[in-house]
Amino acid sequence: MNDESNHILAAILQELKTITAELQQLRNELKATPPHQLAPTDPPTSLKQIIESANEAEEKSALAVYDWLTAKGITVRNYREQRADDAVFDQLALFLGERFATLSRIHERIRRSLSTGNGFTLNLASQSKEEIADSTQFCDMMHSYAFLSSYKYNKLTKTIYATPQRVGKVINFFTGGWFERYIYLKIRSLLSQHGLPFTCVINPKITFPNGDDFELDLFFLVENQPLWIECKTGDYQGYIAKYADMRKKLLSIPASRAILVILAIPNDLTTNLTNLYDITVANETNVFEKIATAVGIAIDPPHQQSIVPPVAVSVSSPVSALLNKAGLRPVPEHRPRVINELITIVKSLDQPTTMAHIKAVLAERVGASKSQLQDMLNAILRSGCLRDDNGQPVLSFTTPFTNLISDDPSVIERKCLESYMRAVLLANPTYFQDLNNVSEFERVVGCNISTTKRLDETFLNIDLE
């Protein structure tokens, strides 16, 4: 080895030593200074402190997972850091994931179109009103962010005409990136709602002690115990045995905490694959139940973290049961205060925040339970009351928003009413033609829409197609 090579090698080694020392110093600082926690008596301005703490916690996440993997002799070369465009991708991923049962058709058309480079046509005339509403809303969102270079919907024929952008970020999103992002966001929400401390690194590129390189999808530490998630939207057959072998021999993680999530496979196949291979296999409908079991928490059925849309209730079922299943309990005894407090908090903001952050503050101010509060905020969120800097609706608890559509509580209350009525109409389009049903709806929701004029005005604001 010549002098020049020796000099280069010495420089590289010195740089590695410097980086290692800096990482160790940062770990010590984070351990010595725990993230700030919001006190119940803090004023509304503490939302800023919550956001700053979240950024600090993200750095701590990477270091905690880095330490765990390093202790196994695994080298972490890199991982995906948060980016400025994450909010857009998160919003689209959550919308697609939570409505995949009705959006699978448009999703598949987009995938095919991206592979061929052509536009596509999708006729929805024979599909449900829910699928039509979700598909057109999703296309509107994608077109506003230029994921679709062209988009038109013909209301008469109920036909979508669209052309996706064939650029890397759009292709990666629809060929699997959305699913991994959706699973991550829902797991994070599940753990947060149940108060479990966790850290996570996304897409860490690692090298095992035997020299093999690999990229993990999601690696969590939940109460300092590992939870490894791999996500596949297809072609899992060539990976499952390899994952099982890695779990046992290289990561040494219990099978219940190593989960392969495969999109749109039957439940019985997930069971059979789990029995055949030494790893837990799940699909989008049962993955969160399996995760909850793995980390030792129970999911409240009305709020189970699943992509499956709310189950339609038969006509004879009480409207309260329908709204409960839809995650939209009206809770009229608390809703007015929640709306007023929400308006007050948003008015005090000096920077964008998320509904997840505001929910934490509201929980300290109103007497509703966490699950009741979640349902009331669902109604506000789904009706498009939150807006970003560009005036676009925000439909995710984890996507930053800037303001509300109005500071008038009656406007927000009306939008909640639209959410409740839409859920009922999707299950039974003729429900409100029976005045007895109208009376029952008014009793459950805690409002008065009995007059024909009020009912007609409300219907005008509900677009099911």
Side-chain angles (χ1 to χ4, degrees):
M1 187 178 291
N2 56 38
D3 291 341
E4 183 178 358
S5 297
N6 285 332
H7 179 72
I8 293 173
L9 179 59
I12 293 173
L13 289 174
Q14 182 58 45
E15 182 66 19
L16 287 172
K17 290 179 180 179
T18 301
I19 292 173
T20 301
E22 290 175 351
L23 283 172
Q24 186 59 49
Q25 181 180 359
L26 181 56
R27 280 197 296 271
N28 293 337
E29 290 175 356
L30 287 170
K31 290 176 181 178
T33 309
H36 171 75
Q37 295 183 346
L38 178 65
T41 56
D42 282 348
T45 54
S46 59
L47 280 171
K48 182 177 181 181
Q49 296 171 332
I50 296 177
I51 296 169
E52 291 171 349
S53 296
N55 294 334
E56 181 179 325
E58 185 179 341
E59 295 178 3
K60 185 177 180 180
S61 292
L63 291 172
V65 175
Y66 173 90
D67 284 343
W68 191 95
L69 292 170
T70 300
K72 296 283 185 181
I74 299 170
T75 301
V76 182
R77 305 191 311 276
N78 198 359
Y79 62 90
R80 184 174 77 78
E81 300 183 47
Q82 295 295 312
R83 301 187 300 263
D85 60 1
D86 274 339
V88 172
F89 287 105
D90 288 351
Q91 181 183 17
L92 292 172
L94 281 167
F95 192 92
L96 176 56
E98 291 175 343
R99 299 163 177 79
F100 189 74
T102 55
L103 292 177
S104 59
R105 203 181 317 273
I106 190 80
H107 170 260
E108 182 58 28
R109 291 298 178 91
I110 292 172
R111 282 177 58 115
R112 290 182 191 175
S113 181
L114 287 170
S115 65
T116 62
N118 301 321
F120 69 89
T121 300
L122 178 61
N123 185 276
L124 298 171
S126 61
Q127 306 308 318
S128 68
K129 290 184 176 182
E130 185 178 10
E131 179 170 349
I132 294 171
D134 289 345
S135 297
T136 52
Q137 187 175 354
F138 188 50
C139 285
D140 283 334
M141 293 167 62
M142 290 190 294
H143 191 227
S144 68
Y145 292 126
F147 277 45
L148 298 178
S149 58
S150 66
Y151 164 61
K152 180 181 178 181
Y153 175 62
N154 187 318
K155 288 188 176 181
L156 294 177
T157 62
K158 295 181 171 55
T159 302
I160 290 174
Y161 304 88
T163 304
Q165 291 273 19
R166 290 193 81 243
V167 295
K169 61 177 64 179
V170 176
I171 294 173
N172 291 338
F173 180 80
F174 282 107
T175 54
W178 75 269
F179 189 50
E180 177 185 302
R181 189 179 289 267
Y182 171 71
I183 294 297
Y184 163 71
L185 292 169
K186 296 295 279 188
I187 293 175
R188 192 178 71 179
S189 175
L190 173 67
L191 298 175
S192 297
Q193 287 177 12
H194 288 82
L196 290 181
F198 69 92
T199 57
C200 181
V201 168
I202 303 172
N203 302 139
K205 294 179 174 63
I206 62 175
T207 301
F208 289 110
N210 63 7
D212 289 346
D213 292 335
F214 193 77
E215 180 177 319
L216 306 174
D217 282 349
L218 306 170
F219 198 91
F220 288 81
L221 288 180
V222 183
E223 296 185 309
N224 297 317
Q225 297 301 311
L227 177 66
W228 171 37
I229 310 293
E230 289 293 317
C231 306
K232 290 292 179 186
T233 56
D235 299 328
Y236 63 88
Q237 293 86 349
Y239 297 89
I240 187 169
K242 180 180 180 181
Y243 291 160
D245 196 52
M246 284 172 48
R247 176 204 70 77
K248 186 174 183 179
K249 297 180 179 178
L250 298 173
L251 291 169
S252 300
I253 297 175
S256 64
R257 301 179 75 99
I259 302 176
L260 171 59
V261 193
I262 305 170
L263 180 66
I265 67 171
N267 286 343
D268 58 350
L269 182 56
T270 67
T271 301
N272 292 335
L273 289 173
T274 298
N275 294 334
L276 282 169
Y277 297 92
D278 208 6
I279 192 172
T280 298
V281 179
N283 59 27
E284 71 276 13
T285 67
N286 60 24
V287 58
F288 305 109
E289 178 183 352
K290 293 180 184 294
I291 289 172
T293 299
V295 301
I297 60 177
I299 298 180
D300 186 12
H303 306 285
Q304 184 166 337
Q305 304 291 313
S306 171
I307 294 177
V308 178
V311 178
V313 180
S314 63
V315 178
S316 60
S317 298
V319 69
S320 58
L322 189 152
L323 295 175
N324 190 22
K325 285 182 177 291
L328 290 171
R329 281 178 296 174
V331 201
E333 66 271 26
H334 293 298
R335 192 172 67 246
R337 184 176 179 187
V338 168
I339 291 173
N340 285 321
E341 292 286 357
L342 173 64
I343 291 172
T344 299
I345 293 171
V346 174
K347 281 183 176 180
S348 72
L349 293 175
D350 57 5
Q351 62 179 314
T353 189
T354 67
M355 185 63 96
H357 289 141
I358 287 184
K359 180 185 173 184
V361 177
L362 285 172
E364 301 292 341
R365 299 188 179 187
V366 298
S369 68
K370 289 184 178 180
S371 62
Q372 288 176 329
L373 182 58
Q374 179 74 35
D375 279 18
M376 288 182 280
L377 296 181
N378 282 343
I380 293 171
L381 192 76
R382 296 177 192 178
S383 61
C385 288
L386 312 187
R387 299 300 163 117
D388 62 16
D389 285 332
N390 299 318
Q392 295 296 318
V394 171
L395 303 172
S396 162
F397 268 77
T398 57
T399 299
F401 73 96
T402 305
N403 50 55
L404 300 170
I405 58 170
S406 174
D407 292 336
D408 183 347
S410 65
V411 174
I412 306 300
E413 169 70 9
R414 183 183 181 86
K415 298 299 287 185
C416 288
L417 178 62
E418 290 175 15
S419 288
Y420 305 141
M421 296 187 74
R422 183 176 187 273
V424 172
L425 289 170
L426 286 173
N428 178 15
T430 63
Y431 180 88
F432 290 102
Q433 293 178 13
D434 186 333
L435 291 181
N436 291 327
N437 289 344
V438 173
S439 298
E440 174 66 7
F441 180 86
E442 290 179 335
R443 183 189 66 79
V444 171
V445 174
C447 66
N448 182 6
I449 60 167
S450 293
T451 68
T452 302
K453 180 180 179 181
R454 284 183 180 177
L455 201 55
D456 289 343
E457 287 177 349
T458 303
F459 279 131
L460 291 175
N461 290 319
I462 302 176
D463 182 9
L464 299 179
E465 301 185 359

